[in-house]
Amino acid sequence: MDIQERLLAKATKFKTSYYVIRGSSKGNTVMVTAGVHGDERANILSAKKLMRMLQNDILRINQGTLIIVPIVNQNAYKRRIRGIPDLNRTFPRKPNEAARHPLSAALFRLAAEFQPAWYIDLHEARGFSKVNPKVLGQTLIANPKSGAIPLVKQIVARMNRSIAKKSTHFSVRLRKLPGSGRTAAHRLLHSKAITVETSCNLPVSVRVNYQIKILRNILNEAGLIKDDDLVGSQQSKAATF
Ligand SMILES: [Zn+2]
């Protein structure tokens, strides 16, 4: 496994670190972004935790390539604001259309360079989707007709099996959001794109735990890791006895 740190938008005031982690053999590319909104916490903590797990060899990429951008919008993060403008409305909406912000332009160029099979954007939102269908806390979101939908449904079912309190269960949402990173990756790069939204009404340690579990499920599905400790997956353990 090889880990490289690089700079995104390095000639601008928006520069931020990202990591390219390559397994020992070829395989799928997965891109993970966090901190597109600067006022969300558990997503950034989770991306950093995932990096520490890789750096300390707790988690190992066997095949393929993982790209992690732990804090996309550093300026918004320093001020703990969502960001002005909202970066997640500035990604290109059509082929050959430019992004409307230097940072989303740099991030989209990076994605276009690597053509990730999976594009995972980590966020947080208020409330609980099972209690109020209008809010996005505890949801996994994909675009309608996305190739990511079967896995999104599987992960939501697996996560919910391990969550006792039904009001905090995850839901699936299928939505277009023109200008968002997810919809740009889905439409223009044909990536299987997923937005993860934990609820900021839960304790932060619980939210980080959920985000890491969801990421491990995706990395396992994409073939980057061999995970015998997935939520709801007992086969591999049973097989050893
Ligand atoms: Zn967000």
Side-chain angles (χ1 to χ4, degrees):
M1 192 171 68
D2 173 58
I3 302 178
Q4 284 179 22
E5 184 177 359
R6 300 182 192 170
L7 278 177
L8 185 73
K10 64 179 169 192
T12 75
K13 63 177 176 180
F14 304 106
K15 67 172 181 285
T16 187
S17 290
Y18 72 96
Y19 301 85
V20 179
I21 305 112
R22 292 180 203 272
S24 45
S25 55
K26 286 210 169 102
N28 285 322
T29 296
V30 177
M31 183 157 165
V32 175
T33 57
V36 165
H37 294 138
D39 57 349
E40 298 168 6
R41 271 181 83 196
N43 50 347
I44 292 171
L45 292 171
S46 304
K48 287 182 170 174
K49 185 174 175 181
L50 189 72
M51 270 318 301
R52 279 199 306 280
M53 289 165 79
L54 292 162
Q55 283 159 337
N56 298 325
D57 215 18
I58 295 165
L59 188 69
R60 175 165 273 273
I61 302 298
N62 289 305
Q63 60 177 44
T65 304
L66 174 63
I67 300 154
I68 304 182
V69 193
I71 309 172
V72 171
N73 196 340
Q74 290 279 359
N75 297 333
Y77 176 65
K78 276 176 201 142
R79 296 165 62 196
R80 298 295 190 275
I81 58 165
R82 188 173 172 90
I84 307 164
D86 182 338
L87 203 63
N88 216 23
R89 304 293 182 274
T90 65
F91 287 84
R93 292 160 193 240
K94 294 178 215 153
N96 304 318
E97 192 188 89
R100 298 174 190 184
H101 190 280
L103 189 49
S104 51
L107 191 60
F108 190 73
R109 266 199 307 277
L110 180 69
E113 180 194 332
F114 279 91
Q115 296 282 329
W118 296 86
Y119 183 96
I120 314 302
D121 195 17
L122 305 178
H123 285 257
E124 291 213 281
R126 283 189 205 91
F128 297 103
S129 62
K130 287 286 185 203
V131 178
N132 177 359
K134 287 180 184 162
V135 302
L136 289 178
Q138 301 296 86
T139 56
L140 263 65
I141 315 168
N143 282 65
K145 296 183 186 167
S146 166
I149 294 169
L151 183 65
V152 161
K153 287 184 174 168
Q154 212 179 88
I155 293 175
V156 165
R158 272 187 198 156
M159 294 298 292
N160 290 350
R161 253 178 261 144
S162 67
I163 300 172
K165 207 172 165 191
K166 284 213 162 65
S167 59
T168 68
H169 274 189
F170 282 86
S171 323
V172 177
R173 290 278 181 276
L174 302 180
R175 285 196 183 167
K176 297 179 228 177
L177 180 56
S180 69
R182 180 189 76 247
T183 294
H186 164 80
R187 277 189 192 163
L188 309 178
L189 305 177
H190 310 293
S191 305
K192 289 174 220 160
I194 303 171
T195 303
V196 176
E197 302 264 11
T198 43
S199 170
C200 53
N201 298 97
L202 291 167
V204 73
S205 61
V206 172
R207 287 136 63 186
V208 170
N209 188 18
Y210 289 161
Q211 296 238 356
I212 294 282
K213 275 186 182 172
I214 291 165
L215 282 172
R216 288 180 82 129
N217 271 273
I218 296 166
L219 293 176
N220 183 67
E221 173 73 18
L224 274 71
I225 63 170
K226 283 184 208 139
D227 207 328
D228 54 8
D229 194 27
L230 292 175
V231 263
S233 151
Q234 295 298 321
Q235 306 94 303
S236 45
K237 275 181 191 161
T240 58
F241 290 98

